[in-house]
Amino acid sequence: MNGLTGTGALARLALRRDRALIPVWVAVLGLLPVVLAVSFADLYPTATERQEFFATSARDGTFTALYGPLRGSSLGELITWRAGFLPVVVGLISLLVVIRHTRAEEEAGRRELVGATVVGRHAGLAAALAVTCAADLAVALVVTITLIGKDLPAAGSLALGMQLAAAGWVFAAVGAVAAQVTTGAGGARGIGAAVLGAAYAARIAGDRGDSPGWAWLSWLSPIGLVQRIHPYGAQRWWLLAPVATVVAVLVGVAVGLAARRDLGAGLLPDRPGRAGATPALRSPLAVAWRLHRGLFAAWIAGFALLGAVFGGVANGVGDLVGDNPTLRDVFTRLGGRSAIVDAYLASVMSIMAMIAAGYAIQAVLRLRVEETGGRAEPILATAVGRLRWAAGHLLIAALGPGIALLTAGAVTGLVYGLSSGDVGRELPHAVRLAAGQLPAVAVLAAIAVTLFGLLPRLCAMSWAALSACVLLGLVGAGAGASHWLLDVSPFTHTTGASGGSVSAVALAVLTLLAAALAAAGLAGLRRRDIPAS
């Protein structure tokens, strides 16, 4: 039996487990560039308007940090620039999926059971990489086909798709290495996310450096490297060769490490803990906090950074609008009778609320991880009841995203207020906009609670609900979706008035809906088997 025996069977198993995740992943990321194409074509229909946009945006350092340098004014180049953050998203999803099917399987004990059958040592790693890379390639194909359908050059469309796929392949390999380093999936995710963050930071430093001597940092970053393919410009296809080399080296390192470690072990040994629990760990809430605190700190820091970036961009929104009446009308309609910048801030808070909903879902589903990992039963065998055990995690799932979102609002308002000279107005205004999004976040978290309590095997569908909201928010309006379909997303009701006031009735209804969904989930938890069969 060789090391790859059983790879096909494990790949089919991975596809079955991710049968809801992968189609959503491919559809959302694959369709976003064509949505950008429609948006730019509507807002800047003439070459002159696109040239004016290019002249303004290319000088904006904050936009360069977000998306990379803007190198031309053609429709394809504008799409490529505006999609500059997509390689980061594709990379993040890719490394998380690889870790899910490698280290997380070992941590849960399933890899040991599978390994007792006719399965090679490296089959699990090979299957995870094959499935992930195939999904990245599917994203590239969707991008290529849809952009060609919008009459964009075929070669450039294919190059843009391959740019995204190449970023995904690099960080899938990063996830494969990270999975060999630690004994826990959480640690592997942290290492992978840190590498991704460092790559993004290096790209920013290289693109925004005051001296040309900083450009080498961007060339060293996988994100910066794939963005230099220039899909609708120079089309540097040869850059795929160093990307492939990096992927091959990382996969080779991962295979070498996997061959030299014991199953379940990692390159970094576990740190022994205390022989006995401290008084601070003698309640379900304290245990939940111990499990969530690292994630909480990471999300708070990330939201503060996003707030600083979006707050810095806000001061230049008026300049970007310029004399374009179409764009001015879009921003004004988003904010009702409010100012253009207020409408921009409101739309930014809606985007950050969707990200916060992802944090809320992740925190809720920690309950399912504890259940399937066999750590819930010992706790429930004591005097701790099911609802008390769940309450600790749900309290953090409620407070954590709320604090993160309010932090983002405060930092956004502070940064923009300092640049505009009116902190007294902008800081509380941005915080109010962030607070208005909390009921929508609560609804998504409550959907996760409902699935956990009533249909635990379908918990992953809570991510599908969030993906649908993101798709409706980013694509629905531009695609001309009907109002009743847009109203399915709770974020429609917390952003409809944007810069102005949000309906108190809508917020109350969303809050009651979240409470009802959560109550149904907790009622189901009291009655079902643990662990669920």
Side-chain angles (χ1 to χ4, degrees), residues 264-286:
L267 185 64
L268 300 178
D270 284 334
R271 186 179 63 180
R274 293 174 176 267
T278 64
L281 282 177
R282 292 177 181 171
S283 73
L285 177 59

Side-chain angles (χ1 to χ4, degrees), residues 365-390:
L365 296 188
R366 180 70 197 215
L367 286 165
R368 181 62 176 165
V369 172
E370 294 297 296
E371 179 186 358
T372 56
R375 294 181 290 272
E377 289 178 275
I379 295 177
L380 296 176
T382 66
V384 176
R386 297 186 180 195
L387 296 187
R388 187 182 173 202
W389 165 69

Side-chain angles (χ1 to χ4, degrees), residues 94-176:
S94 297
L95 73 88
L96 291 179
V97 170
V98 169
I99 292 171
R100 163 180 162 83
H101 291 295
T102 52
R103 175 52 65 181
E105 291 295 284
E106 290 189 44
E107 187 178 15
R110 290 187 289 269
R111 181 67 183 86
E112 187 173 6
L113 294 174
V114 172
T117 64
V118 186
V119 172
R121 183 176 185 86
H122 303 302
L125 178 59
L129 287 171
V131 169
T132 304
C133 291
D136 290 331
L137 185 59
V139 171
L141 291 175
V142 173
V143 169
T144 302
I145 293 170
T146 54
L147 290 181
I148 290 175
K150 287 297 179 181
D151 297 326
L152 287 165
S157 301
L158 178 59
L160 179 56
M162 291 307 298
Q163 174 179 296
L164 301 182
W169 293 343
V170 170
F171 287 100
V174 169

Side-chain angles (χ1 to χ4, degrees), residues 125 129 169-178 180 195 222 243-257:
L125 178 59
L129 287 171
W169 293 343
V170 170
F171 287 100
V174 169
V177 174
Q180 316 307 318
V195 173
V243 170
T245 302
V246 171
V247 173
V249 169
L250 289 174
V251 171
V253 170
V255 171
L257 293 176

Side-chain angles (χ1 to χ4, degrees), residues 115-519:
T117 64
V118 186
V119 172
R121 183 176 185 86
H122 303 302
L125 178 59
L129 287 171
V131 169
T132 304
C133 291
D136 290 331
L137 185 59
V139 171
L141 291 175
V142 173
V143 169
T144 302
I145 293 170
T146 54
L147 290 181
I148 290 175
K150 287 297 179 181
D151 297 326
L152 287 165
S157 301
L158 178 59
L160 179 56
M162 291 307 298
Q163 174 179 296
L164 301 182
W169 293 343
V170 170
F171 287 100
V174 169
V177 174
Q180 316 307 318
V181 175
T182 67
T183 58
R189 294 184 189 106
I191 292 172
V195 173
L196 179 61
Y200 186 52
R203 200 279 298 161
I204 293 174
D207 290 338
R208 290 199 62 186
D210 297 328
S211 169
W214 288 99
W216 63 272
L217 283 174
S218 186
W219 281 95
L220 285 182
S221 165
I223 303 298
L225 191 62
V226 299
Q227 287 185 337
R228 277 169 166 70
I229 293 176
H230 297 177
Y232 293 97
Q235 291 183 13
R236 298 169 175 171
W237 290 99
W238 62 268
L239 285 175
L240 292 177
V243 170
T245 302
V246 171
V247 173
V249 169
L250 289 174
V251 171
V253 170
V255 171
L257 293 176
R260 288 168 173 77
R261 66 175 179 85
D262 293 332
L263 187 65
L267 185 64
L268 300 178
D270 284 334
R271 186 179 63 180
R274 293 174 176 267
T278 64
L281 282 177
R282 292 177 181 171
S283 73
L285 177 59
V287 173
W289 168 247
R290 179 67 173 266
L291 294 172
H292 286 269
R293 63 184 182 181
L295 189 67
F296 174 81
W299 277 97
I300 294 296
F303 269 76
L305 178 61
L306 282 176
V309 171
F310 285 129
V313 171
N315 204 39
V317 168
D319 295 334
L320 292 177
V321 173
D323 298 326
N324 188 314
T326 305
L327 187 59
R328 182 177 295 275
D329 180 63
V330 168
F331 273 101
T332 302
R333 282 189 288 107
L334 280 174
R337 288 178 290 181
S338 63
I340 293 174
V341 175
D342 287 345
Y344 161 79
L345 291 176
S347 62
V348 161
M349 288 306 150
S350 177
I351 293 172
M352 287 199 280
M354 294 179 192
I355 300 174
Y359 174 23
I361 291 171
Q362 185 180 15
V364 170
L365 296 188
R366 180 70 197 215
L367 286 165
R368 181 62 176 165
V369 172
E370 294 297 296
E371 179 186 358
T372 56
R375 294 181 290 272
E377 289 178 275
I379 295 177
L380 296 176
T382 66
V384 176
R386 297 186 180 195
L387 296 187
R388 187 182 173 202
W389 165 69
H393 293 272
L394 296 183
L395 180 62
I396 295 172
L399 294 179
I403 294 173
L405 188 56
L406 292 176
T407 298
V411 174
T412 300
L414 178 62
V415 172
Y416 174 55
L418 289 173
S419 63
S420 65
D422 193 3
V423 176
R425 176 189 182 274
E426 301 304 338
L427 178 57
H429 177 62
V431 171
R432 284 195 300 270
L433 290 174
Q437 299 290 339
L438 292 177
V441 175
V443 170
L444 270 296
I447 291 174
V449 176
T450 302
L451 291 173
F452 171 70
L454 298 176
L455 301 167
R457 293 173 64 87
L458 298 179
C459 278
M461 293 303 296
S462 53
W463 293 108
L466 175 59
S467 299
C469 292
V470 173
L471 194 61
L472 287 173
L474 298 180
V475 180
S482 59
H483 287 293
W484 69 264
L485 182 59
L486 294 176
D487 286 343
V488 170
S489 170
F491 299 99
T492 300
H493 306 282
T494 56
T495 318
S498 293
S501 60
V502 179
S503 169
V505 174
L507 297 182
V509 170
L510 290 176
T511 302
L512 291 174
L513 176 61
L517 289 172

